[in-house]
Each structure stands twice: as C-alpha cells, then as structure tokens.
Amino acid sequence: MATQDYWAEAPLNRQQTVLFGPTLDSSIGEDDPVRLFDEVLGGLEWSSWEAYYDGRRGQPPIHPRYVAATILSGLCRGIRSSRKLEEACGYRLDFMWLVEGRRIDHTTLAKFRTRFAGPLKNLFQQIGRVAMSLGLIRLGEVAFDGTRVKANNNRFRCRTAKTLEQKLQALDKLFEEMLAQAQAADAAEASQSTADEDDDKSPTQLPGRLADLKQRRERVREALSNAQEVDAARSTRGVDPQAHPARVPTTDLDARVMPNKAGGYAPNYTPTATTDGHRGFIVDCEVLAEVNETQEATASVDRIEETFGQKPSKFLTDGGNNSGAVMQGMEERGVEFYAPAAVNQPQAGHPAKRDDPRQPIPTPQWPELPRNKAGRLHNSCFVYDAAEDQYYCPQGKPLPFVRTQSHVRDGACKTSRIYHCKSCKECLLARVCYERLSHSGRTISRDAYEDLRERTATRMASDEGQRLYQQRAHIAETPFAILKAAIGLRQFLLRGLPKVKAEWRWAATAFNLGKLVREIARLRAECAPSGVQLEG
C-alpha cells in the first residue's frame, strides 16, 4: 500500500496567503483561442450597439461588446441557456477572462439577445467582411439550403379551428361567470369602511385570475385566426378543410406544423443559410414559418450583395428550389444557377433526339420512348422548334400553337402556351400517345420558363457543372450539421418569428466568428516561419 508521502502535493493551499497571487490573465494560456476571440471582437465597430444606451441616466452599464462576447462564446461552446452563461461568467476562467471579471446576470443576457436585432446584422456583416478581406470568402460559388428546427411548442399542443372555437366559447363563458362574481364581491365590499389592500382589487385593473383568463382568451382567439387562415390557404390548393382540417400551434403562434426530417409532424420553423464554397462561411441566413424555402433563394442573393457589395458568381441549390421563377430571378441578376432541371426536350441518348425532327423515329426504337405516370409518351418525346414555334411528334408530325391557357397554382396565376397535333387519328403511336376518350389528339403545354430550364439543364450536363454540383451537399449541409450537433440548435429557445430570426442570426454569427478565429490562427501559424506578421 502506498504511504501518505507518495501522493503529489497540492500546488496551492486553500488557506495559504500568497505575496504575489496569480492574475486572471496568467490563468489563461498564451495560445488559448479565447484571446484571439477577444482580439477579433475588439477590432470591430460597436457604435450601433452603443446608440441603444441613453448615456446620461442610471448606473454605468456593461459595454455591449462584453455581453455579446458572452453569448457568442457560449454558442461556440454549445452553451445557449442564459442561466448557464451567467454561471460560466462566475466560474469558468475563459469566460471570466473574456468579460474581465464582470458578473452578467441571466436576465440581462436574455433581454440582450432579442433587443439588438438590428446591430446584430451589422456585426454579422463586419465579421463577414473581415473574412472577405483575408480571402476566406470569395463568393465564387455559394450553396443555398434550408433545414427544419423545432419551435418552442409541444407537438401535442396543436389544435384545429373547430377545437379552438369550442375552447374559446368555454373560456368566454368562464370569463363572464368570474367577472360577475368579482363585480358582486366588489359591490359587497364597497359598503364596508375598511380599505382593501389587495392590489388585485384595484378598480383600474382586473383581478389576477381574470387577467390571466383574458390573456388566455386572446391567445386562443389569435390561434383560431391562424387556423382559419391556414384552412383557407389549403382550400385554394384543393384540400377540404372539413375532411382534413389544419392543426396550428397554441404556444408559439408564429410556428407552423410541418413534417419532421426524422418523420412525423410537429411545430417547426424553416431556417435557411447560404454558404460560401471556399472556406464554408455563412454569407446569409433567414428563418421562414413555411415548409418551402424557395422564395428566399433570389432574396438571399440580394442580401448577399447588400452585405458584401457584390453578388455571388454561381448559385447552387437542390431540386426543391428549381422553380422557373427562381431561374428567371437568377438570370436577371447575372448569377449562374445550378440545380436539377426537369426539361421536356430530349437529351443525348434519347430516341427522339435526331437531326431532323420532321423525320419519324425508326420503328425499332419505339419501345425505348419514355412514358409518363399514365403510361403515355412523355413530353420529352416531342421536339420543340423555336424558329417555327411548334413541336414535332415522334412520327415527325407538327404540333402548332393553338391557344394560351391560364391557371392558378400555389396562389399565383400562370400562363402556358398550348400546342395541338391534328394528325393523331391515323397515327400508329396513338394508343400510347394520348387518351383516346378525349377525341382531340395530343396536346403539349409550354410555360414561360421552359427556355430557362433548358439552359439550366445544359449547364448542369456540362463537365464543369457536374463537378461543381457534386460539392453542393458538402457546402450547404455542413453549417447545419455544426449548428445542430456542436451548438445544439435543434430546437429554438425563443418564441415568435422575430425572436426566432434573432436567435438563428446569433447562431450563424457565432458559427462565422468561431471559424474566423480558427482561420486567423491557421494563417498566423503558416506565416510565422517566414517572419510575416498577420494582423487580425
């Protein structure tokens, strides 16, 4: 058995008075990342944050740089709770060094993260421009994508419009009963000479229980309005709200019930991020209370130009954001668009791809012609001639333009040009080309975006397009993986779309700041042997 003097001695006795005590600075290593973290933040402009303070009244406040540093440093270390951050400021040496011994309470931190939404955008921009000045952001190619993050709302606290109507009626009845009881009690007490010291009996405000009940009624009424709006929107898409009513959250009223990535449905938000392809910095972020993030694709390019003073050269996204409107928006902005594009023109290797579309496809190749879901010849079997503005069928017969047709889809009116074949009755492919019961022959519709789809498909089919698009998943998905796994942002802490947007931007800013600190450390290490000095 080891003797008592075998064990290592404590370097510092708890009760020992020392002549030269260790400083806070000496407790942090010279190569600790928190030093570079503080150096980067210290070099940024904080005047827009300082403008939020009065500067003449009250006790001297803590400078916003230190509060922001606490939140950002916590996110980089996976600490999101304001109470955990308060605890870290008192017990963790790196946090104590970062805030120089200041004690920041959780209430200050909680209010701070939602108050400075405007200056936070400026901070995000400054960090991005520092990275750009170091060559870490080039905007050569960017990848756009969205993900699903849970709202601060239990999945079982969602109700239909019918259920909410019943609940509102019950609350109205209960409120009237309690109000009548309170008025009767007030009338009885008014005859007494003793003063009532209960604040809830003040004539200028409702009693506590009634005030809570009134707030519940207002929230249910707002949730009912949301449910009715969602039902109305679903009915325009052909969904019967009586047979399939929408369910809406009752805690976070701005969230929407959406399908989860792992299966099932729950109240969620759809955060988006556009990531630079060079070193993986997030160059734009947003949050939507909708399932589809397509509408944010072109808006993201505009925000990137506003933030960095230039547009990206190439824009990569997945097949869910390949609408014609997005393609048109990118072309108008001079940005090359890369996404899978479904075109109705035959590509290389297609039997209908021939030098002269007026010539029929040889009979032995007919079985190779692709079919649609109904088992009929796919639209790609028909070749479009832009000069003549007409299609040619597999038999070489023309389908001239006959009319324009408009229809409403996803709340927008869309116009298509209709082309009709007049030689279908004697065609040998008629039985697999169109529905004979229609007695009208085969028709092809062409919308205003078909040319854009064809140009996008041609770009995607090139060797450069395929090489570039293979990088999309890595560029776009990596930030989401880090934000969810390392930072822990799988569910928002805040409620309401404005606050959720601020929370997502804090996370994206922390992501970029942590990456910038690591990149500067790497660049300094690379420059150190050659004696080159790199300023942060």
Side-chain angles (χ1 to χ4, degrees):
M1 176 178 282
T3 60
Q4 187 65 30
D5 58 356
Y6 170 77
W7 310 109
E9 293 287 339
L12 184 63
N13 190 294
R14 293 173 180 171
Q15 287 76 37
Q16 177 67 47
T17 302
V18 293
L19 180 60
F20 299 102
T23 64
L24 185 58
D25 189 68
S26 65
S27 302
I28 300 296
E30 290 297 328
D31 58 347
D32 195 297
V34 73
R35 292 184 179 274
L36 188 51
F37 191 93
D38 179 70
E39 180 184 337
V40 172
L41 290 178
L44 302 179
E45 176 62 48
W46 295 90
S47 58
S48 60
W49 300 73
E50 295 168 354
Y52 277 67
Y53 295 85
D54 183 87
R56 296 184 299 273
R57 297 179 299 175
Q59 295 181 351
I62 299 175
H63 193 277
R65 168 192 161 187
Y66 297 101
V67 187
T70 302
I71 296 174
L72 294 171
S73 180
L75 288 169
C76 290
R77 289 160 175 76
I79 305 174
R80 300 171 59 207
S81 166
S82 56
R83 292 183 182 273
K84 293 290 185 181
L85 290 174
E86 178 186 4
E87 182 181 3
C89 289
Y91 295 100
R92 284 189 54 157
L93 287 174
D94 53 348
F95 277 82
M96 293 170 63
W97 184 92
L98 185 64
V99 300
E100 297 181 351
R102 296 174 175 86
R103 302 299 294 266
I104 308 175
D105 63 87
H106 65 274
T107 303
T108 300
L109 292 164
K111 292 181 178 179
F112 187 90
R113 76 173 85 199
T114 58
R115 181 187 180 191
F116 294 90
L120 180 60
K121 291 184 179 180
N122 177 260
L123 183 64
F124 179 86
Q125 180 187 57
Q126 289 189 66
I127 293 173
R129 292 201 171 190
V130 170
M132 195 172 190
S133 67
L134 295 174
L136 302 173
I137 293 178
R138 297 181 179 177
L139 297 182
E141 59 276 340
V142 299
F144 170 84
D145 205 354
T147 188
R148 206 77 82 234
V149 175
K150 295 179 182 178
N152 194 342
N153 192 113
N154 192 300
R155 65 184 301 175
F156 299 107
R157 291 188 178 274
C158 298
R159 301 289 183 268
T160 62
K162 181 179 180 181
T163 304
L164 290 169
E165 287 177 354
Q166 296 172 349
K167 187 172 184 178
L168 184 59
Q169 292 174 1
L171 288 174
D172 287 342
K173 182 179 179 181
L174 180 60
F175 182 82
E176 295 299 331
E177 292 176 355
M178 293 181 63
L179 182 61
Q181 294 174 5
Q183 290 174 345
D186 289 344
E189 293 176 2
S191 60
Q192 300 178 4
S193 58
T194 57
D196 189 353
E197 298 179 356
D198 189 358
D199 291 339
D200 287 346
K201 302 301 183 180
S202 169
T204 61
Q205 63 182 5
L206 290 172
R209 290 187 301 168
L210 275 175
D212 293 342
L213 188 58
K214 183 179 180 181
Q215 292 180 357
R216 289 177 59 193
R217 290 171 65 204
E218 293 174 352
R219 292 187 64 82
V220 172
R221 189 175 288 110
E222 187 175 351
L224 175 59
S225 177
N226 288 345
Q228 292 170 342
E229 290 178 4
V230 175
D231 280 337
R234 285 159 60 90
S235 64
T236 60
R237 299 195 299 267
V239 179
D240 184 5
Q242 298 297 326
H244 304 283
R247 298 173 66 85
V248 298
T250 58
T251 306
D252 185 350
L253 301 180
D254 288 347
R256 290 291 178 266
V257 176
M258 308 177 192
N260 289 323
K261 295 287 186 180
Y265 291 79
N268 290 304
Y269 284 101
T270 303
T272 67
T274 306
T275 309
D276 185 72
H278 179 53
R279 302 299 294 184
F281 281 81
I282 298 175
V283 292
D284 180 65
C285 61
E286 188 55 275
V287 178
L288 304 174
E290 300 177 13
V291 176
N292 195 338
E293 70 271 9
T294 301
Q295 61 176 335
E296 283 300 311
T298 52
S300 177
V301 171
D302 295 337
R303 290 192 295 265
I304 291 172
E305 184 178 17
E306 180 182 355
T307 301
F308 296 97
Q310 70 179 73
K311 295 186 290 288
S313 301
K314 299 177 177 64
F315 191 93
L316 286 63
T317 187
D318 57 22
N321 302 310
N322 63 349
S323 69
V326 174
M327 295 180 189
Q328 184 179 37
M330 295 298 173
E331 191 165 276
E332 291 173 351
R333 289 163 175 78
V335 177
E336 290 186 14
F337 183 75
Y338 291 84
V343 295
N344 291 325
Q345 285 298 285
Q347 303 300 311
H350 196 293
K353 184 73 173 178
R354 54 200 192 276
D355 295 335
D356 186 2
R358 297 176 180 83
Q359 298 299 319
I361 298 175
T363 305
Q365 294 183 358
W366 287 3
E368 301 176 16
L369 293 172
R371 308 291 201 269
N372 58 25
K373 294 181 180 180
R376 307 295 174 182
L377 292 180
H378 192 267
N379 284 357
S380 62
C381 298
F382 298 77
V383 181
Y384 179 70
D385 189 323
E388 299 180 357
D389 189 23
Q390 65 180 6
Y391 281 85
Y392 287 94
C393 76
Q395 290 285 54
K397 303 297 182 181
L399 283 77
F401 168 74
V402 292
R403 68 181 186 278
T404 300
Q405 179 175 295
S406 299
H407 62 282
V408 178
R409 183 177 180 181
D410 297 333
C413 182
K414 300 185 178 181
T415 303
S416 300
R417 294 172 62 83
I418 307 300
Y419 300 81
H420 177 237
C421 182
K422 300 179 181 178
S423 306
C424 289
K425 291 184 178 180
E426 63 273 12
C427 180
L428 298 178
L429 288 172
R431 62 185 182 85
V432 294
C433 185
Y434 72 99
E435 180 58 54
R436 299 302 298 270
L437 295 178
S438 65
H439 301 290
S440 60
R442 179 64 181 256
T443 60
I444 299 290
S445 64
R446 182 182 182 89
D447 63 17
Y449 304 118
E450 195 63 34
D451 291 337
L452 291 169
R453 295 191 189 95
E454 292 173 7
R455 287 196 289 272
T456 302
T458 301
R459 192 181 304 121
M460 288 285 290
S462 66
D463 294 339
E464 173 65 16
Q466 293 180 12
R467 181 198 64 78
L468 187 63
Y469 197 73
Q470 287 177 352
Q471 305 173 29
R472 185 209 66 83
H474 173 73
I475 297 171
E477 300 291 346
T478 299
F480 294 141
I482 295 175
L483 289 170
K484 290 184 177 182
I487 294 181
L489 211 162
R490 297 183 181 276
Q491 180 174 9
F492 288 110
L493 299 176
L494 305 179
R495 298 172 183 170
L497 186 57
K499 293 183 179 180
V500 166
K501 286 184 176 183
E503 187 175 354
W504 182 247
R505 189 170 292 276
W506 276 110
T509 304
F511 174 89
N512 280 356
L513 182 58
K515 182 177 284 290
L516 179 61
V517 167
R518 292 190 295 273
E519 291 288 349
I520 291 177
R522 177 183 63 82
L523 291 172
R524 286 182 174 177
E526 292 176 355
C527 295
S530 60
V532 178
Q533 296 295 321
L534 180 66
E535 298 294 333

